[in-house]
Amino acid sequence: MARLKTAVLISGRGTNLQALIGACAEPSFPAEICLVVSNRPDAVGLRRAIEAGIATHVVDHKKFADRRSFEVALDGALREARVEFICSAGFMRVLTEWFVERWRDRQINIHPSLLPVFPGLDTHARALAAGVRLAGCTAHFVRTEVDAGPIIVQAAVRVLPADDEETLAARVLAAEHKIYPLALRLIAEGRVEVVDERVRIDGAAEAQGMLLSPAES
Ligand code: GRF
């Protein structure tokens, strides 16, 4: 079966990109990364793509007069590479309705919180300040509202008493690296459907039981 031709949009270090590259390196994985696009020429993630032999493209937002012309250039690069699907992975540009609608249900994002709580920036600081005992991450379809859209996969991560932003972020990031390739795989296998803005997954294995924090003793 043909693999889903996927582009990854980045702005920075690209560890989620790396996780996707790793997953796609498996011959049986149903998606392939055919292009990595960054809005920043200095994004470390670009090097990860080059090392993996993946085509890269920079659409530097600073070189465009407005959001629309930036998005037209981005869309053009994706279409030229015959991209079928987009994974945003630490891509730090807010996309307008024009772009989001062109790629509706063909673009996903990864966010380091259990959405719909803590959208936006500084999620870990806000989770710690709120005293939540479970944090986590979410892979979701992209909509015009930032960090919102039908949820595909989530992972919950325990917040530990000694956690600071850095330790919590690291534990959540490890979970991101698991769920993002999983979300892409489920979609590329054709098992994901958006119905009334909720995701249905065909034949998803249900993990059983509660995740307690603190654990019972
Ligand atoms: C991740 O925490 C992701 O959830 C958020 O931005 C961060 C990107 O990290 N959207 P990386 O560039 O994938 O390492």
Side-chain angles (χ1 to χ4, degrees):
M1 211 176 91
R3 303 170 93 195
L4 185 67
K5 286 169 73 70
T6 304
V8 184
L9 307 186
I10 61 165
S11 298
R13 68 188 167 174
T15 65
N16 278 289
L17 164 65
Q18 193 73 61
L20 294 170
I21 290 173
C24 291
E26 188 64 46
S28 63
F29 196 80
E32 63 178 318
I33 303 173
C34 58
L35 184 67
V36 171
V37 183
S38 174
N39 66 306
R40 296 182 57 120
D42 59 349
V44 171
L46 286 171
R47 269 190 261 141
R48 298 178 189 271
I50 291 163
E51 271 164 32
I54 298 167
T56 60
H57 190 80
V58 174
V59 187
D60 185 348
H61 63 280
K62 291 189 188 138
K63 298 208 167 128
F64 294 87
D66 50 30
R67 276 188 198 275
R68 172 57 74 91
S69 53
F70 165 73
E71 290 181 0
V72 167
L74 176 60
D75 183 68
L78 296 169
R79 284 171 199 276
E80 199 177 317
R82 303 197 180 286
V83 166
E84 298 169 309
F85 196 80
I86 303 173
C87 292
S88 288
F91 183 64
M92 300 303 282
R93 300 306 294 167
V94 174
L95 295 164
T96 72
E97 192 174 357
W98 180 81
F99 188 91
V100 170
E101 287 307 318
R102 275 175 95 79
W103 291 91
R104 189 181 179 88
D105 295 344
R106 294 188 298 142
Q107 183 181 9
I108 61 175
N109 181 45
I110 179 85
H111 181 75
S113 79
L114 288 172
L115 293 173
V117 290
F118 310 131
L121 298 174
D122 300 321
T123 50
H124 303 301
R126 286 187 286 144
L128 290 170
V132 296
R133 293 196 177 275
L134 291 172
C137 50
T138 305
H140 64 95
F141 284 101
V142 171
R143 295 292 184 261
T144 40
E145 201 185 326
V146 172
D147 299 327
I151 291 169
I152 309 153
V153 185
Q154 291 186 305
V157 168
R158 289 185 180 85
V159 179
L160 304 179
D163 265 338
D164 57 22
E165 257 183 88
E166 209 177 306
T167 58
L168 180 58
R171 211 169 321 107
V172 172
L173 191 63
E176 293 179 42
H177 297 162
K178 289 196 177 143
I179 73 165
Y180 214 20
L182 171 60
L184 179 58
R185 178 167 69 75
L186 292 170
I187 289 165
E189 287 173 346
R191 294 164 59 186
V192 173
E193 197 187 358
V194 181
V195 181
D196 293 335
E197 288 301 81
R198 288 171 53 171
V199 166
R200 274 196 208 148
I201 302 175
D202 186 31
E206 296 301 332
Q208 298 293 314
M210 285 183 282
L211 179 65
L212 286 182
S213 180
E216 280 175 300
S217 57

